[in-house]
Amino acid sequence: MERFQKFILLPLILTASLPGLGFCYSIIHGPSNATVLAGLEARFNCTVSEGWVILIWLSNGNPVLTVINSQGAVETSDRFTSQNYTSSNGFTSELIIHKTQLSDSGKIECSIQQTSENGFAFLSVQVNGSLFIKNSTLTVKENKTVEIVCEAIGWAPAPDITWMTNDSFIDKSRYATQQNQGSNGLHNALSTLTLTPTDTEILTCLADIEALPHPQNASVTLIFVNSTLENYYSEDNRSTWVIVLAIVLSFLGIVLLIIIIVVVVRCCCLKKKGSTYQNEIRKLSSEKNKDGDLQNRQRHGSENQGYIPEELWNTKQSPGIDSLPPVPSKFTVPAADLHTSSSRKVGPQRRADYLISPKKIRNMTLV
C-alpha cells in the first residue's frame, strides 16, 4: 500500500517541483501535537499562503494524502481524509486520521515541496486499559495492618497510579507501584497500599494517562472493627441464635406432641373397634350355643332332679315286702297308674299286685 501511494504521489511531486514555474509560497501555520485514545480521531491543520501548488501529508515519513490546488484532495485510504478551508490569510488543509492505532503514533508532516518548508507535529496514540481492586469491601480489626492491591492491565503508556482516602491524596511513601510491558506492547501496573486504619474509610485507586479527560478509578470500602464493638456484636449474635434455637425446638416439641396424641387416639379407636367386633362374635356364638341346648332338650328331654326311685320309697313304706322276680324292661305303666300306686299305702296282704320290679321303673318328664 505504501509503495502504491508513493507511486501515485511521485508524479505529482515532480510536477510541482518543476523549475521555471516561478511560484513562491510558504507554510504559515504548521500542525500541532496531538494525543488521542486508540480508536478515536486525530486531526492536524496546515495553513499555506496563496499561490501554493501542492500539499502533501506524511505519517512517519510515508505520504498518506495529497492536496493539489487545481484538483483537490487525492485520498488513497479510508483512514486518512481531509477537509479544506480558504480564507483571506491563505489555504488551510485539515488531515483527519480515523480509528487511530498504536502504529499511528509518531511524526506527522505537512510538506509543500519547498526547501526547509515542512511543518510537523507528533501524534501520541494511547490505550486505556482496565483497573480493579480484587475486594470491594474489607474488614479490619483494631491495630491490624492491611495491604490493598490495585491492578492496571493493558495500558499504553504505563499509567500513573495514585491513592486517595476520603477525597484526600495519600502520601506516595505509603504505597509501591511495579510496572512491566507485555509482548503486545501494552503496559501492566501493580500498586500495593499498606496502612493501619483507625476508622472506617473509602480508599480509591486512580490510574491516569494524558489522553484521559479524567483518571480511571477503583474503590474499596475499609470497615474498621473496634474490639469492644466486636465483643458486643458477638454476644448479641450468640443471644439471637439462642432465641432462634429455643423457638425452633419449641415448635418441634409441639409438633411431636401433636403427632403422639394423634397416634394414641388412632390406636384407641382401632382397639375399640376390634373389641366390639370380638364381643359381637362372642354374642353370636353364645346365642348359637343356647339354641343348640334348647334343641337338644326338645329332642331328649331333661332329667327330673326331684325324682326318687320307687324302690327306695317302697322300702321306706313297706319294709316287709320281698322283692319280686324281674319283669322285662319293655313293659310300661301309664303315668296315671304310676301316680295312683305311688300315692296309696301298700300293705303286706297286697304283695301280689306288684307285677313289675321297682328297680326297672323310671319316670321321665318331657318338656
Side-chain angles (χ1 to χ4, degrees):
M1 178 63 71
E2 294 178 357
R3 292 181 179 178
F4 179 73
Q5 293 173 353
K6 291 180 179 179
F7 178 77
I8 295 177
L9 295 176
L10 184 58
L12 300 175
I13 297 173
L14 292 176
T15 302
S17 60
L18 289 175
L21 293 177
F23 295 112
C24 182
Y25 52 90
S26 61
I27 296 176
I28 301 175
H29 296 291
S32 301
N33 296 336
T35 301
V36 297
L37 290 174
L40 301 182
E41 292 182 351
R43 295 173 177 264
F44 298 91
N45 292 328
C46 182
T47 302
V48 297
S49 60
E50 294 182 357
W52 67 279
V53 177
I54 188 171
L55 187 150
I56 302 173
W57 286 101
L58 299 94
S59 174
N60 292 323
N62 300 314
V64 292
L65 188 141
T66 301
V67 182
I68 302 175
N69 192 357
S70 59
Q71 298 181 13
V74 180
E75 299 175 354
T76 58
S77 173
D78 294 338
R79 291 186 60 239
F80 299 92
T81 61
S82 67
Q83 289 183 354
N84 302 324
Y85 309 96
T86 301
S87 65
S88 58
N89 295 330
F91 173 80
T92 300
S93 175
E94 182 180 31
L95 173 67
I96 305 172
I97 305 176
H98 303 273
K99 298 180 181 179
T100 54
Q101 305 170 359
L102 280 177
S103 59
D104 295 331
S105 298
K107 188 176 182 180
I108 303 296
E109 295 182 70
C110 169
S111 174
I112 57 174
Q113 296 300 305
Q114 296 287 338
T115 58
S116 65
E117 283 293 339
N118 290 345
F120 63 89
F122 291 94
L123 170 64
S124 175
V125 179
Q126 299 183 351
V127 178
N128 179 23
S130 60
L131 182 72
F132 61 91
I133 298 175
K134 293 182 179 180
N135 298 323
S136 59
T137 303
L138 290 175
T139 302
V140 183
K141 296 182 180 180
E142 187 177 6
N143 298 326
K144 295 294 182 179
T145 300
V146 63
E147 290 186 351
I148 303 173
V149 179
C150 179
E151 189 171 3
I153 299 176
W155 292 71
D160 181 22
I161 295 182
T162 55
W163 287 86
M164 295 182 67
T165 175
N166 297 333
D167 299 330
S168 299
F169 283 98
I170 298 177
D171 189 86
K172 291 185 178 181
S173 61
R174 299 175 61 182
Y175 58 88
T177 303
Q178 299 177 350
Q179 299 178 351
N180 61 79
Q181 186 174 7
S183 57
N184 56 359
L186 300 179
H187 297 262
N188 303 322
L190 195 69
S191 182
T192 304
L193 174 65
T194 304
L195 75 163
T196 304
T198 58
D199 196 1
T200 298
E201 54 188 330
I202 298 177
L203 299 173
T204 304
C205 175
L206 304 173
D208 191 22
I209 53 178
E210 184 181 355
L212 283 176
H214 303 286
Q216 188 173 341
N217 64 82
S219 299
V220 59
T221 302
L222 196 63
I223 300 176
F224 176 75
V225 178
N226 194 306
S227 300
T228 304
L229 293 176
E230 183 181 10
N231 294 333
Y232 172 77
Y233 287 128
S234 61
E235 292 178 359
D236 186 49
N237 291 335
R238 193 179 300 112
S239 301
T240 303
W241 278 108
V242 169
I243 294 173
V244 172
L245 184 61
I247 294 174
V248 172
L249 292 179
S250 300
F251 177 76
L252 293 178
I254 294 173
V255 172
L256 183 60
L257 181 60
I258 293 174
I259 294 174
I260 293 174
I261 293 174
V262 171
V263 171
V264 171
V265 172
R266 181 67 176 172
C267 292
C268 292
C269 292
L270 293 176
K271 186 175 180 181
K272 186 176 181 180
K273 289 182 180 179
S275 60
T276 304
Y277 175 77
Q278 292 176 358
N279 293 335
E280 292 294 333
I281 295 297
R282 291 194 188 98
K283 185 176 180 181
L284 292 175
S285 177
S286 176
E287 291 178 356
K288 289 182 179 179
N289 292 336
K290 290 180 180 180
D291 293 342
D293 293 341
L294 179 59
Q295 293 176 1
N296 291 334
R297 290 176 182 176
Q298 291 175 353
R299 292 177 184 176
H300 305 291
S302 59
E303 185 175 358
N304 186 2
Q305 301 296 330
Y307 170 74
I308 299 175
E310 194 167 340
E311 63 271 16
L312 296 178
W313 184 82
N314 291 330
T315 303
K316 292 180 181 180
Q317 299 293 331
S318 303
I321 299 176
D322 296 333
S323 62
L324 296 178
V327 180
S329 60
K330 294 183 180 179
F331 179 80
T332 60
V333 181
D337 294 341
L338 290 174
H339 179 72
T340 303
S341 61
S342 61
S343 63
R344 153 173 100 238
K345 294 183 181 180
V346 180
Q349 66 276 10
R350 301 191 61 177
R351 183 185 303 174
D353 293 339
Y354 294 92
L355 299 179
I356 57 176
S357 175
K359 294 181 179 180
K360 299 298 183 178
I361 297 173
R362 186 176 184 182
N363 292 332
M364 302 293 293
T365 301
L366 296 176
V367 180

